[in-house]
Amino acid sequence: GQQLNQSPQSMFIQEGEDVSMNCTSSSIFNTWLWYKQDPGEGPVLLIALYKAGELTSNGRLTAQFGITRKDSFLNISASIPSDVGIYFCAGRSNAGNNRKLIWGLGTSLAVNP
Amino acid sequence: ETGVTQSPTHLIKTRGQQVTLRCSSQSGHNTVSWYQQALGQGPQFIFQYYREEENGRGNFPPRFSGLQFPNYSSELNVNALELDDSALYLCASSLMTQETQYFGPGTRLLVL
């Protein structure tokens, strides 16, 4: 199935460090979403972006909707051990009646206390 | 307000069998979407149900079918199971006019 290019695939960082991950698409999206998934659980929405250039924060998390509408990034500042998990980007084009979310492969984050 | 719940949590089937997975949507949500997530992959959209009718479908064969009930709960049925159907099946509910989808914990299906 169709998937977004998400990088990096995995990260291992020290507690307190900042983290940056990004997602790119070959097509234009109208919505970008960032989710976090813990083992054995469903994804939890972190940030939703609906407008090109939009920059939105949720606590230590900040995400931006790229100007070209083909990319997005997520930053986590001052990482803590509970940030461990898999982070997914997801996008939707809204073309026609398309309600399908396209997902990245995820970025696995490990934080060393 | 209760969140999205799914049952069962785990399931083991053999090739050729049929399976039914269940999802209760979050209170007030009338839209349910189903996803298949293989190990190490992102979720893949199977289909969405809105007011008891299918409202969009991904690239899955007809042996994947679903239902939505008047209380907005939903079922995913898979016939003639194949080994590659082994995955985590996620259900997400939302209000049709909003983008936010709230996911359940998933059902992990193993096909032997």
Side-chain angles (χ1 to χ4, degrees), chain B residues 33-48:
Chain B
S33 302
W34 285 92
Y35 293 84
Q36 180 194 66
Q37 186 178 22
L39 200 61
Q41 303 288 315
Q44 293 288 320
F45 176 72
I46 302 175
F47 43 55
Q48 182 183 84

Side-chain angles (χ1 to χ4, degrees), chain A residues 3 11 15 23 33 37 40 44 58 61-62 64 68 71 76-77 79 81 83 87-88 104 108:
Chain A
Q3 287 185 317
M11 301 181 74
E15 182 177 359
C23 219
L33 306 170
Q37 186 174 25
V44 174
N58 177 8
L61 277 62
T62 301
Q64 184 159 28
T68 66
D71 62 343
I76 305 174
S77 63
S79 59
D83 291 334
Y87 292 80
F88 288 98
S108 178

Side-chain angles (χ1 to χ4, degrees), chain A residues 1-3 31 35 37 40-43 45 50 88 92 97 99-101 103-105, chain B residues 35 37 40-45 48 55 58-59 88 90 96 99-101 103-105:
Chain A
Q2 184 183 0
Q3 287 185 317
T31 301
Y35 285 86
Q37 186 174 25
E41 299 184 12
L45 181 68
Y50 301 110
F88 288 98
R92 180 185 284 120
N97 193 31
R99 291 292 178 180
K100 183 170 69 171
L101 272 180
W103 293 72
L105 290 178
Chain B
Y35 293 84
Q37 186 178 22
Q41 303 288 315
Q44 293 288 320
F45 176 72
Q48 182 183 84
N55 180 49
N59 297 324
L88 179 68
L90 294 163
M96 187 60 184
E99 304 291 344
T100 304
Q101 293 188 356
F103 283 82

